[in-house]
Amino acid sequence: MDGKELQAWRKEKRRELLAARTALDRETRRRYGEAIERQLVEILGNVSGHTVGAYWPFRGEFNVHPLLERLQAQGAQLALPVVVEKASPLEFWSWKPGDPLGRGIWDIPIPKERDSVRPDILLVPLVGYDNEGYRLGYGGGYYDRTLAQYTRKPLAIGIGYTLGHLESIDPQDFDIPMSRIVTEASG
Ligand SMILES: Nc1nc2c(c(=O)[nH]1)N(C=O)[C@@H](CNc1ccc(C(=O)N[C@@H](CCC(=O)O)C(=O)O)cc1)CN2
Ligand SMILES: Nc1ncnc2c1ncn2[C@@H]1O[C@H](COP(=O)(O)OP(=O)(O)OP(=O)(O)O)[C@@H](O)[C@H]1O
């Protein structure tokens, strides 16, 4: 595949996988969510003193909110991703449950205050993933750019469902693999 074909292929896969994810019923999503949360709790251990880059879930992404409450109670510093400029790295703005929110790109809630921090742990939502831990997102390349700029790579945990599994996304030079992938079946 050349660059253009690959882009079209990824776009089509994204569409298929998002449709499959949106079609999950509430009960299945709840069950999957429980299995994912259990593993994340085990993998993360005590995160006191760490800075965790999370996300505000939308479009059927794993609901991280209950986990965030728990991490905050342990003494983690939490942050949410913000697209400050198109085609640039994300910024992570310090936030905790209950803090005021504004609206960012695609109307996704973002912290009201710009207090940019550098996460050492990233919880990364994904649409698809492959055997080598490469990730398919919404097509902005934001997480790739974000990870590329760090000299000390954060622990990047890709979070998705097995319905998003692909053999290979045909990784390009700009694609950066996750440290690990967590799905409802990975534990
Ligand atoms: N919950 C959550 N928040 C998140 C992310 C996420 O994946 N999940 N992001 C993770 O990155 C960022 C938002 N990601 C975005 C990615 C792409 C586009 C976008 O404009 N996409 C183009 C399609 C590009 C293409 O296919 O070539 C578009 O829809 O027109 C917007 C936001 C920040 N916040
Ligand atoms: N480090 C980078 N520098 C410049 N361009 C990049 C970089 N990383 C990715 N891109 C560009 O971003 C585009 C989208 O990348 P990709 O298809 O991997 O997005 P994605 O991982 O699905 O999106 P997202 O991370 O926003 O959810 C690519 O076509 C590529 O040109």
Side-chain angles (χ1 to χ4, degrees), residues 71-101:
L71 301 183
Q72 194 210 345
Q74 289 179 352
Q77 152 94 77
L78 305 178
L80 293 177
V82 180
V83 175
V84 284
E85 196 179 337
K86 287 233 167 185
S88 295
L90 296 164
E91 277 189 14
F92 284 86
W93 294 2
S94 169
W95 178 85
K96 61 182 188 312
D99 280 357
L101 295 158

Short mmCIF file of all heavy atoms in Angstrom, two decimals, residues 71-101:
data_model
loop_
_atom_site.label_atom_id
_atom_site.label_comp_id
_atom_site.label_asym_id
_atom_site.label_seq_id
_atom_site.Cartn_x
_atom_site.Cartn_y
_atom_site.Cartn_z
N LEU A 71 -7.71 6.94 41.60
CA LEU A 71 -6.32 7.38 41.44
C LEU A 71 -6.09 8.70 42.18
O LEU A 71 -5.05 8.92 42.80
CB LEU A 71 -5.97 7.52 39.96
CG LEU A 71 -6.11 6.25 39.11
CD1 LEU A 71 -5.65 6.53 37.67
CD2 LEU A 71 -5.32 5.08 39.69
N GLN A 72 -7.10 9.56 42.11
CA GLN A 72 -6.98 10.84 42.81
C GLN A 72 -6.89 10.62 44.31
O GLN A 72 -6.10 11.25 45.01
CB GLN A 72 -8.16 11.74 42.48
CG GLN A 72 -7.91 13.17 42.89
CD GLN A 72 -9.17 13.90 43.26
OE1 GLN A 72 -10.27 13.43 42.95
NE2 GLN A 72 -9.04 15.02 43.92
N ALA A 73 -7.73 9.69 44.80
CA ALA A 73 -7.73 9.38 46.24
C ALA A 73 -6.36 8.85 46.69
O ALA A 73 -5.95 9.05 47.83
CB ALA A 73 -8.83 8.38 46.57
N GLN A 74 -5.64 8.21 45.78
CA GLN A 74 -4.30 7.69 46.10
C GLN A 74 -3.24 8.80 46.09
O GLN A 74 -2.10 8.57 46.48
CB GLN A 74 -3.87 6.64 45.08
CG GLN A 74 -4.61 5.32 45.18
CD GLN A 74 -4.13 4.34 44.11
OE1 GLN A 74 -3.36 4.68 43.22
NE2 GLN A 74 -4.60 3.11 44.21
N GLY A 75 -3.62 9.96 45.56
CA GLY A 75 -2.65 11.05 45.52
C GLY A 75 -2.02 11.29 44.17
O GLY A 75 -0.96 11.90 44.07
N ALA A 76 -2.65 10.79 43.11
CA ALA A 76 -2.14 11.07 41.76
C ALA A 76 -2.56 12.47 41.33
O ALA A 76 -3.59 12.98 41.76
CB ALA A 76 -2.68 10.06 40.76
N GLN A 77 -1.74 13.06 40.48
CA GLN A 77 -2.11 14.30 39.81
C GLN A 77 -2.76 13.89 38.49
O GLN A 77 -2.15 13.16 37.71
CB GLN A 77 -0.84 15.11 39.58
CG GLN A 77 -0.85 16.04 38.42
CD GLN A 77 -1.26 17.43 38.84
OE1 GLN A 77 -0.47 18.16 39.40
NE2 GLN A 77 -2.51 17.77 38.58
N LEU A 78 -3.98 14.33 38.23
CA LEU A 78 -4.68 13.94 37.00
C LEU A 78 -4.64 15.08 35.99
O LEU A 78 -4.52 16.25 36.35
CB LEU A 78 -6.14 13.59 37.30
CG LEU A 78 -6.41 12.52 38.36
CD1 LEU A 78 -7.91 12.34 38.55
CD2 LEU A 78 -5.74 11.21 37.96
N ALA A 79 -4.76 14.72 34.71
CA ALA A 79 -4.78 15.73 33.65
C ALA A 79 -5.60 15.22 32.47
O ALA A 79 -5.69 14.02 32.25
CB ALA A 79 -3.35 16.06 33.22
N LEU A 80 -6.18 16.15 31.73
CA LEU A 80 -6.96 15.80 30.53
C LEU A 80 -6.29 16.36 29.28
O LEU A 80 -5.66 17.43 29.33
CB LEU A 80 -8.38 16.39 30.64
CG LEU A 80 -9.30 15.82 31.72
CD1 LEU A 80 -10.63 16.58 31.73
CD2 LEU A 80 -9.54 14.33 31.50
N PRO A 81 -6.44 15.65 28.14
CA PRO A 81 -5.78 16.10 26.90
C PRO A 81 -6.53 17.27 26.26
O PRO A 81 -7.76 17.31 26.28
CB PRO A 81 -5.87 14.87 26.00
CG PRO A 81 -7.08 14.12 26.47
CD PRO A 81 -7.19 14.40 27.95
N VAL A 82 -5.74 18.18 25.70
CA VAL A 82 -6.32 19.34 25.03
C VAL A 82 -5.63 19.55 23.69
O VAL A 82 -4.40 19.57 23.62
CB VAL A 82 -6.16 20.62 25.89
CG1 VAL A 82 -6.76 21.83 25.17
CG2 VAL A 82 -6.79 20.45 27.26
N VAL A 83 -6.42 19.66 22.63
CA VAL A 83 -5.88 20.03 21.32
C VAL A 83 -5.77 21.55 21.32
O VAL A 83 -6.77 22.25 21.20
CB VAL A 83 -6.80 19.55 20.17
CG1 VAL A 83 -6.30 20.06 18.83
CG2 VAL A 83 -6.90 18.04 20.17
N VAL A 84 -4.54 22.06 21.53
CA VAL A 84 -4.36 23.51 21.57
C VAL A 84 -4.16 24.07 20.18
O VAL A 84 -4.42 25.23 19.90
CB VAL A 84 -3.19 23.94 22.49
CG1 VAL A 84 -3.59 23.83 23.95
CG2 VAL A 84 -1.95 23.13 22.21
N GLU A 85 -3.68 23.20 19.30
CA GLU A 85 -3.48 23.60 17.91
C GLU A 85 -3.62 22.37 17.04
O GLU A 85 -3.15 21.29 17.41
CB GLU A 85 -2.06 24.17 17.76
CG GLU A 85 -1.85 24.96 16.52
CD GLU A 85 -0.42 25.51 16.45
OE1 GLU A 85 0.22 25.65 17.50
OE2 GLU A 85 0.04 25.77 15.34
N LYS A 86 -4.27 22.50 15.89
CA LYS A 86 -4.42 21.35 14.98
C LYS A 86 -3.04 20.85 14.56
O LYS A 86 -2.10 21.63 14.41
CB LYS A 86 -5.21 21.79 13.74
CG LYS A 86 -6.68 22.00 14.05
CD LYS A 86 -7.57 21.19 13.11
CE LYS A 86 -8.98 21.16 13.66
NZ LYS A 86 -9.87 20.32 12.88
N ALA A 87 -2.94 19.54 14.37
CA ALA A 87 -1.70 18.91 13.90
C ALA A 87 -0.49 19.23 14.76
O ALA A 87 0.61 19.41 14.26
CB ALA A 87 -1.44 19.31 12.44
N SER A 88 -0.71 19.36 16.06
CA SER A 88 0.38 19.58 17.02
C SER A 88 0.23 18.58 18.15
O SER A 88 -0.79 17.94 18.27
CB SER A 88 0.29 21.00 17.60
OG SER A 88 0.49 21.94 16.58
N PRO A 89 1.27 18.46 19.02
CA PRO A 89 1.10 17.57 20.16
C PRO A 89 -0.04 18.04 21.06
O PRO A 89 -0.38 19.22 21.07
CB PRO A 89 2.44 17.70 20.91
CG PRO A 89 3.41 18.20 19.91
CD PRO A 89 2.61 19.05 18.98
N LEU A 90 -0.61 17.09 21.81
CA LEU A 90 -1.62 17.44 22.81
C LEU A 90 -0.93 18.12 23.97
O LEU A 90 0.24 17.87 24.24
CB LEU A 90 -2.29 16.17 23.34
CG LEU A 90 -3.10 15.32 22.36
CD1 LEU A 90 -3.35 13.93 22.96
CD2 LEU A 90 -4.42 16.00 22.03
N GLU A 91 -1.66 18.95 24.69
CA GLU A 91 -1.21 19.39 26.01
C GLU A 91 -2.07 18.67 27.03
O GLU A 91 -3.24 18.38 26.76
CB GLU A 91 -1.38 20.91 26.18
CG GLU A 91 -0.24 21.69 25.59
CD GLU A 91 -0.29 23.19 25.95
OE1 GLU A 91 -1.04 23.59 26.86
OE2 GLU A 91 0.45 23.94 25.29
N PHE A 92 -1.51 18.37 28.18
CA PHE A 92 -2.30 17.80 29.28
C PHE A 92 -2.44 18.84 30.36
O PHE A 92 -1.45 19.32 30.89
CB PHE A 92 -1.64 16.52 29.79
CG PHE A 92 -1.87 15.36 28.86
CD1 PHE A 92 -1.02 15.14 27.79
CD2 PHE A 92 -2.98 14.54 29.01
CE1 PHE A 92 -1.26 14.10 26.89
CE2 PHE A 92 -3.22 13.51 28.12
CZ PHE A 92 -2.37 13.29 27.05
N TRP A 93 -3.71 19.20 30.63
CA TRP A 93 -3.99 20.24 31.61
C TRP A 93 -4.48 19.61 32.90
O TRP A 93 -5.41 18.77 32.89
CB TRP A 93 -5.05 21.22 31.07
CG TRP A 93 -4.60 22.02 29.89
CD1 TRP A 93 -3.39 21.95 29.24
CD2 TRP A 93 -5.36 23.03 29.21
NE1 TRP A 93 -3.36 22.85 28.19
CE2 TRP A 93 -4.56 23.53 28.16
CE3 TRP A 93 -6.64 23.58 29.39
CZ2 TRP A 93 -4.99 24.52 27.29
CZ3 TRP A 93 -7.08 24.58 28.52
CH2 TRP A 93 -6.26 25.04 27.49
N SER A 94 -3.86 20.02 33.96
CA SER A 94 -4.17 19.52 35.29
C SER A 94 -5.68 19.65 35.58
O SER A 94 -6.30 20.68 35.29
CB SER A 94 -3.34 20.33 36.28
OG SER A 94 -3.76 20.07 37.58
N TRP A 95 -6.25 18.60 36.13
CA TRP A 95 -7.70 18.57 36.40
C TRP A 95 -8.00 17.49 37.43
O TRP A 95 -7.27 16.50 37.51
CB TRP A 95 -8.44 18.24 35.09
CG TRP A 95 -9.93 18.14 35.25
CD1 TRP A 95 -10.84 19.18 35.22
CD2 TRP A 95 -10.69 16.94 35.46
NE1 TRP A 95 -12.10 18.68 35.40
CE2 TRP A 95 -12.05 17.32 35.56
CE3 TRP A 95 -10.36 15.59 35.58
CZ2 TRP A 95 -13.08 16.40 35.77
CZ3 TRP A 95 -11.38 14.67 35.79
CH2 TRP A 95 -12.72 15.07 35.88
N LYS A 96 -9.03 17.71 38.22
CA LYS A 96 -9.52 16.65 39.11
C LYS A 96 -11.03 16.65 39.08
O LYS A 96 -11.65 17.68 38.74
CB LYS A 96 -8.97 16.82 40.52
CG LYS A 96 -9.35 18.09 41.21
CD LYS A 96 -8.68 18.13 42.59
CE LYS A 96 -9.18 19.29 43.44
NZ LYS A 96 -9.21 20.59 42.78
N PRO A 97 -11.65 15.49 39.40
CA PRO A 97 -13.11 15.42 39.36
C PRO A 97 -13.74 16.58 40.11
O PRO A 97 -13.33 16.89 41.22
CB PRO A 97 -13.41 14.08 40.04
CG PRO A 97 -12.20 13.24 39.78
CD PRO A 97 -11.05 14.20 39.81
N GLY A 98 -14.69 17.23 39.49
CA GLY A 98 -15.38 18.35 40.12
C GLY A 98 -14.87 19.70 39.66
O GLY A 98 -15.57 20.71 39.78
N ASP A 99 -13.64 19.76 39.12
CA ASP A 99 -13.11 21.03 38.61
C ASP A 99 -13.94 21.51 37.41
O ASP A 99 -14.46 20.69 36.65
CB ASP A 99 -11.65 20.87 38.16
CG ASP A 99 -10.67 20.90 39.32
OD1 ASP A 99 -11.11 21.11 40.46
OD2 ASP A 99 -9.46 20.68 39.06
N PRO A 100 -14.05 22.82 37.22
CA PRO A 100 -14.84 23.35 36.11
C PRO A 100 -14.28 22.95 34.75
O PRO A 100 -13.07 22.76 34.59
CB PRO A 100 -14.76 24.86 36.30
CG PRO A 100 -13.62 25.10 37.22
CD PRO A 100 -13.48 23.88 38.06
N LEU A 101 -15.17 22.81 33.77
CA LEU A 101 -14.80 22.37 32.43
C LEU A 101 -15.23 23.38 31.38
O LEU A 101 -16.21 24.11 31.56
CB LEU A 101 -15.49 21.03 32.13
CG LEU A 101 -15.05 19.84 32.99
CD1 LEU A 101 -16.11 18.76 32.99
CD2 LEU A 101 -13.71 19.30 32.47
#
